[in-house]
């Protein structure tokens, strides 16, 4: 029974992920992403990680998707009146992207792999205390990567949605 549920959730996850990418309407794309997040939470439930499933639903499906929907609404994606960015802005964005990529790559290369093997010790890995220790000790670099990625995405969304001043011919 668990295997059938897993394959059903995997099909839903892959299908909605593809709909997120290939949908022409940004609202439909965002809603497909919400369904994808819920199906991933279902995978957490199959792994008996109820805390992670609930946090995933609250954080991703709740907060981040609301932020994305507001960003989509603020951007006003009308292609008719969209002005093109100047070449200096494109170059600055490319340089900023490359610098952030280099910083993340340098951080990744400086990490040492965890060689320990984990055996079942009877410890409850569902507790927040144990989860916090594992997240902020062994998985600190990916945790920081995620926070930098979200920060850069938020700054990019604000810059994209910012209206450029029209040059008047006076």
């Amino acid at each position: 029974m668990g295997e059938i549920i897993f394959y059903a959730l995997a099909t839903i996850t892959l299908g909605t992920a593809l709909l997120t990418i290939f949908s022409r309407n940004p609202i439909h794309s965002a809603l497909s992403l919400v369904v994808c997040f819920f199906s991933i939470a279902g995978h957490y439930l199959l792994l008996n990680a109820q805390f992670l499933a609930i946090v995933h639903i609250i954080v991703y499906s709740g907060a981040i998707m609301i932020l994305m929907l507001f960003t989509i609404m603020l951007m006003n994606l009308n292609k008719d009146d969209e002005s093109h960015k100047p070449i200096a802005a494109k170059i600055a964005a490319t340089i900023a992207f490359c610098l952030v990529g280099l910083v993340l790559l340098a951080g990744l290369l400086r990490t040492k792999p965890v060689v320990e093997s984990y055996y079942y010790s009877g410890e409850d890995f569902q507790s927040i205390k144990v989860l916090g220790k594992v997240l902020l000790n062994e998985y600190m670099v990916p945790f920081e990567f995620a926070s930098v990625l979200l920060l850069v995405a938020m700054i990019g969304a604000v810059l994209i949605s910012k209206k450029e001043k029209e040059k008047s011919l006076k």
Side-chain angles (χ1 to χ4, degrees), residues 11-141:
T11 304
I12 292 169
T13 303
L14 291 175
T16 54
L18 289 173
L19 281 175
T20 300
I21 294 170
F22 294 119
S23 178
R24 295 210 181 263
N25 188 343
I27 302 296
H28 293 157
S29 179
L31 292 176
S32 297
L33 190 58
V34 168
V35 174
C36 183
F37 285 157
F38 272 99
S39 64
I40 290 172
H43 285 286
Y44 285 138
L45 289 175
L46 285 178
L47 292 171
N48 201 22
Q50 293 86 7
F51 176 75
L52 287 178
I54 296 302
V55 168
H56 184 80
I57 288 172
I58 291 170
V59 171
Y60 288 104
S61 300
I64 292 178
M65 284 310 301
I66 295 298
L67 179 67
M68 285 180 64
L69 285 174
F70 279 131
T71 304
I72 289 170
M73 288 188 273
L74 280 174
M75 284 175 38
N76 194 11
L77 298 173
N78 293 333
K79 293 189 180 187
D80 299 334
D81 60 336
E82 184 175 323
S83 61
H84 295 286
K85 303 283 183 199
I87 192 74
K90 291 179 183 179
I91 291 173
T94 304
I95 291 172
F97 174 77
C98 290
L99 287 176
V100 169
L102 285 175
V103 168
L104 292 177
L105 186 63
L108 180 65
L109 293 176
R110 295 181 134 227
T111 60
K112 294 184 170 62
V114 178
V115 186
E116 302 173 24
S117 61
Y118 293 100
Y119 296 103
Y120 180 68
S121 62
E123 191 173 6
D124 180 23
F125 288 104
Q126 283 291 314
S127 73
I128 297 173
K129 182 178 179 182
V130 174
L131 187 63
K133 283 183 181 178
V134 170
L135 183 65
L136 294 176
N137 287 333
E138 299 171 24
Y139 296 104
M140 181 65 164
V141 174

